[in-house]
Amino acid sequence: MAYKISSECIACGACAAECPVSAISEKDGQYVINPDECLDCGACAGVCPVGAPAAE
């Protein structure tokens, strides 16, 4: 399953910078993960300061 970013997101951009396939983008002030591109690697979750990305 792909990762999803919760409403806890503070839009710092750390997750987008870490994603190896650029599956994360900013939309309406919050970052979102494209589930079709997500590799389920967890790199985003490892760098998020608030724990917003999580496996669905």
Side-chain angles (χ1 to χ4, degrees), residues 30-50:
Q30 184 174 353
Y31 281 79
V32 294
I33 299 174
N34 181 332
D36 295 329
E37 296 176 4
C38 180
L39 299 177
D40 198 31
C41 68
C44 56
V47 297
C48 181
V50 296

Side-chain angles (χ1 to χ4, degrees), residues 4-30:
K4 183 175 182 180
I5 298 176
S6 73
S7 61
E8 300 288 319
C9 177
I10 59 171
C12 69
C15 59
E18 192 68 22
C19 182
V21 294
S22 301
I24 304 173
S25 60
E26 192 262 332
K27 183 177 181 182
D28 298 328
Q30 184 174 353

